[in-house]
Amino acid sequence: MQPNPQRFLNSLHQLRSIGAVGKGVVRPAYTDKDIEARKWLAAQFAEAGLTPYFDPVGNLFGLAGDGPSLLMGSHSDTQPEGGWLDGAYGVMVALEIARAAKEAGGPDISVVSFQDEEGRYGVTTGSTVWAGGRSLEEADTLTASDGTSYAEGRAKMADLVSGDFLDPARFTGFIEAHIEQGPYLDTSGEHVGVVTSIVGIRDMRITLTGQSNHAGTTPMHLRRDAFQGLSEFNQRLNDRLRNVVLPETVWTIGHVSVHPNGSSIVPGRVMFSMQWRDGDSGRLAAMEAIIRETVAEVAEDRGLEVEFGQLLGLEPVAMDPRLQQALAHAAEAEAPGKWRRMPSGALHDTTSVARHMPAAMLFVPSINGVSHNFDEDTREEDLVVGLNVLARAVAAL
Amino acid sequence: MQPNPQRFLNSLHQLRSIGAVGKGVVRPAYTDKDIEARKWLAAQFAEAGLTPYFDPVGNLFGLAGDGPSLLMGSHSDTQPEGGWLDGAYGVMVALEIARAAKEAGGPDISVVSFQDEEGRYGVTTGSTVWAGGRSLEEADTLTASDGTSYAEGRAKMADLVSGDFLDPARFTGFIEAHIEQGPYLDTSGEHVGVVTSIVGIRDMRITLTGQSNHAGTTPMHLRRDAFQGLSEFNQRLNDRLRNVVLPETVWTIGHVSVHPNGSSIVPGRVMFSMQWRDGDSGRLAAMEAIIRETVAEVAEDRGLEVEFGQLLGLEPVAMDPRLQQALAHAAEAEAPGKWRRMPSGALHDTTSVARHMPAAMLFVPSINGVSHNFDEDTREEDLVVGLNVLARAVAAL
């Protein structure tokens, strides 16, 4: 089978143009631009001889025949300010492999673009619901930061979707290609990474409530300042986690919302996100215990109330050995000595899909490790090496 | 001179009813309810034998004769969700003193309700413009958070106002009574506070810019996390300021805006407000130096860029010794051993007026120190002690 690099790059840039803002793309799940992109993709799938199928949450499949097929793909929704390759690379490279396979009379390759991988309503909600990791009824109650529910989000695709989910058993395996989104391949000058496992993730909203008050007349020692509580928690947590983590373990406070948020008012409430990731479930649990204990301690010291939101999480997942081996052989053939095996620090739809079938991932480099950012980019040469490694691996399966 | 507590309380509750919402009051500057309250006040002034006079920005005076008089008062506009006594107490207690003085053939007492003390369009804009702290032309360009300009705001009172400002030289001094808005008097069980000075205030927006990035794939040691910069700055600042401040000095980070503010994204930018207040200009400057130095240090350590916004500020103002002494003598007579001298941590119209005449302030307690809140309240007994202290002090001048 012979993929066409120019046709692949042309398609990738066409997708980029939908929701383009400068070098980046704004196409969050269920927004008009996201839906426009999915309609365009469905037409591309049809043109390639695949049958488009939108499932009840808006995951878009391009099905190759009715029999068993290998599934490839990723997602086409983006972060609120997203890069042009995150997700899009994996969908478009899959489409090109499916086209090349059809042209060569090769194996049946189906393609997918999962919905809401970026977690506007949670964590990889589209693939999670499809894989049965969360019921649709439960997912429908999730809310985005703008207050809309998942049910309202997916209602925007009501005229496109089918009533039933596809049976995962129709697929023989899943391969997702993705940009690394970290600095390792770019720093080492390697062209591809064969993923060994995907780290586990925990995510929780925490609310600290004190008392909002006049910033001129409330003495420091009488304040119940929720922002000060957050700041002290953060410092203590950083100190404590260093004793239990590995160099690749990460933790992040990415969302902070202060109330009432005026310069002359002592903050009475702060809601923030606490997220942590590691390849070991035991370590994730140990971190959770430290986080809960540290928040509670700071809250007690400062007369604040704590509310812990629901703990969202995904377990670490090992990649399928046979698919991994096929990717490794192909990588060595296409980029001798210029690839590595590596864990994925980012969560991917592969985590959900791996519940039902053998699954694997291939990474291409991210320039300077930048992602979730308009500046996200990858050298064209590396985009094409990734395409060729995938084609070679799939042909050898 | 003999003030009438019941008449005073009745008038105070009548004013409360204009814009009442539950226990609180909603009467921001230039809203219909604010203007309704000012018309009602003008009628009350006239009934008391004072000549109502609206100046070009809507400050309402009740003038006692054409000769020199003592001016008393405060403001009748409120916060968007205001308490019933903030400002209103000072206006209504002044009216009762003016009535009592007229009845007793005592000294001429004029009354004022300044406009926009709560700073819908800036900071104490009505008294500031009257006192020449800001030109009318400049003030007219200020905007509220709803986008309307000060010029548009005051145009709503066009049918009421005169074309000229009153000459401040016609007044021999100014006394403003106000609720404390802090916890000191309520905690100590004292009935009144004689204000020694109004603290100075400094307010500055600071922006830290790092690099937003993927929260799963960016190793901790490569992050340029702007929120972590803010948190570390805050902790270091708290440690350092403790060596240079007094117990009554305050500093506040009340506004925090994180960008892009997603749970899976390392924060690339954070903008926050830094406000600090103290009675001494030298200390305010020393604090500013520590703030700037600490931010710069943290930014350098973490590879962040710093941008300092414009420094807004008002200088500390000492109260007039002779007026202060008259209030202190009267306080000791009316509430022996149950009063104190204290600074004002909040800004007041007195700050503006003190540019032109001897000025002083008297505080009554705020229950639990609560203000700028519907729950704001003061025991009736204390409202009346304040009235009696003022009457005694004015009679002795």
Side-chain angles (χ1 to χ4, degrees), chain A residues 92-302:
Chain A
M92 301 317 292
V93 83
L95 174 59
E96 180 55 29
I97 304 280
R99 282 172 182 151
K102 276 223 184 287
E103 288 166 357
D108 271 353
I109 308 289
S110 295
V111 181
V112 65
S113 168
F114 287 111
Q115 182 55 289
D116 195 27
E117 194 273 348
E118 298 292 2
R120 187 175 168 203
Y121 293 94
V123 176
T124 62
T125 51
S127 58
T128 299
V129 171
W130 178 53
R134 191 187 278 276
S135 73
L136 186 56
E137 294 67 34
E138 201 190 345
D140 273 345
T141 67
L142 296 170
T143 52
S145 57
D146 65 2
T148 62
S149 70
Y150 191 65
E152 291 170 284
R154 67 189 187 86
K156 293 186 66 182
M157 293 185 67
D159 59 327
L160 294 170
V161 304
S162 307
D164 297 316
F165 287 101
L166 290 175
D167 181 358
R170 68 182 289 154
F171 303 112
T172 57
F174 179 61
I175 299 178
E176 178 172 13
H178 207 280
I179 54 169
E180 180 197 337
Q181 308 184 279
Y184 292 102
L185 294 175
D186 187 53
T187 305
S188 66
E190 292 160 323
H191 299 295
V192 291
V194 175
V195 176
T196 52
S197 68
I198 299 174
V199 301
I201 180 171
R202 299 288 183 271
D203 201 316
M204 183 162 60
R205 286 193 182 174
I206 302 176
T207 305
L208 289 172
T209 304
Q211 165 100 50
S212 66
N213 226 318
H214 192 295
T217 57
T218 314
M220 300 305 281
H221 72 281
L222 291 180
R223 293 182 176 199
R224 292 167 53 213
D225 183 328
F227 172 74
Q228 291 296 323
L230 164 59
S231 175
E232 188 170 347
F233 159 71
N234 177 62
Q235 298 303 115
R236 286 197 207 173
L237 183 70
N238 287 344
D239 288 344
R240 291 176 189 184
L241 286 182
R242 299 210 192 280
N243 301 321
V244 301
V245 299
L246 297 179
E248 60 264 33
T249 309
V250 293
W251 62 99
T252 307
I253 294 174
H255 176 90
V256 177
S257 158
V258 172
H259 187 84
N261 216 23
S263 61
S264 290
I265 312 176
V266 176
R269 190 171 73 241
V270 61
M271 187 178 78
F272 62 98
S273 63
M274 183 75 235
Q275 186 185 92
W276 60 108
R277 305 186 189 213
D278 189 87
D280 179 73
S281 295
R283 189 172 294 107
L284 289 170
M287 293 172 76
E288 181 187 345
I290 292 171
I291 288 162
R292 289 186 187 267
E293 184 183 294
T294 306
V295 174
E297 199 180 283
V298 169
E300 183 166 344
D301 288 358
R302 295 181 164 268

Side-chain angles (χ1 to χ4, degrees), chain A residues 79 81 180-184 203 211 213-223 227-228 230-232 234-235 238 249-256 258 261-267 273 275 277 345-346 369-373, chain B residues 180-184 203 211-220 222-223 225 227-228 230-232 234-235 238 249-256 258-259 261-267 273 275 277 345-346 369-373:
Chain A
Q79 287 281 329
E81 297 187 358
E180 180 197 337
Q181 308 184 279
Y184 292 102
D203 201 316
Q211 165 100 50
N213 226 318
H214 192 295
T217 57
T218 314
M220 300 305 281
H221 72 281
L222 291 180
R223 293 182 176 199
F227 172 74
Q228 291 296 323
L230 164 59
S231 175
E232 188 170 347
N234 177 62
Q235 298 303 115
N238 287 344
T249 309
V250 293
W251 62 99
T252 307
I253 294 174
H255 176 90
V256 177
V258 172
N261 216 23
S263 61
S264 290
I265 312 176
V266 176
S273 63
Q275 186 185 92
R277 305 186 189 213
V370 172
S371 185
H372 288 188
N373 188 302
Chain B
E180 180 197 337
Q181 307 184 279
Y184 289 105
D203 201 316
Q211 166 100 53
S212 66
N213 225 318
H214 191 294
T217 57
T218 315
M220 299 306 280
L222 290 180
R223 294 182 176 199
D225 182 328
F227 172 74
Q228 291 296 325
L230 164 59
S231 176
E232 187 169 349
N234 177 61
Q235 298 302 117
N238 288 344
T249 310
V250 292
W251 61 99
T252 307
I253 294 174
H255 176 91
V256 176
V258 172
H259 188 86
N261 215 25
S263 61
S264 290
I265 313 177
V266 176
S273 63
Q275 187 187 91
R277 305 186 190 213
V370 173
S371 184
H372 288 187
N373 189 303

Side-chain angles (χ1 to χ4, degrees), chain A residues 8 12 15 27 38 41 72-79 82-95 111-114 117-118 176-181 347-349 361 364 371-372 376, chain B residues 214:
Chain A
F8 153 66
L12 187 59
L15 176 54
R27 216 163 48 211
R38 285 173 194 276
L41 275 172
M72 297 181 74
S74 186
H75 62 94
S76 53
D77 63 296
T78 73
Q79 287 281 329
W84 73 288
L85 291 167
D86 182 351
Y89 177 67
V91 175
M92 301 317 292
V93 83
L95 174 59
V111 181
V112 65
S113 168
F114 287 111
E117 194 273 348
E118 298 292 2
E176 178 172 13
H178 207 280
I179 54 169
E180 180 197 337
Q181 308 184 279
L347 181 72
H348 295 286
D349 291 310
M361 291 195 73
V364 292
S371 185
H372 288 188
E376 173 189 286
Chain B
H214 191 294

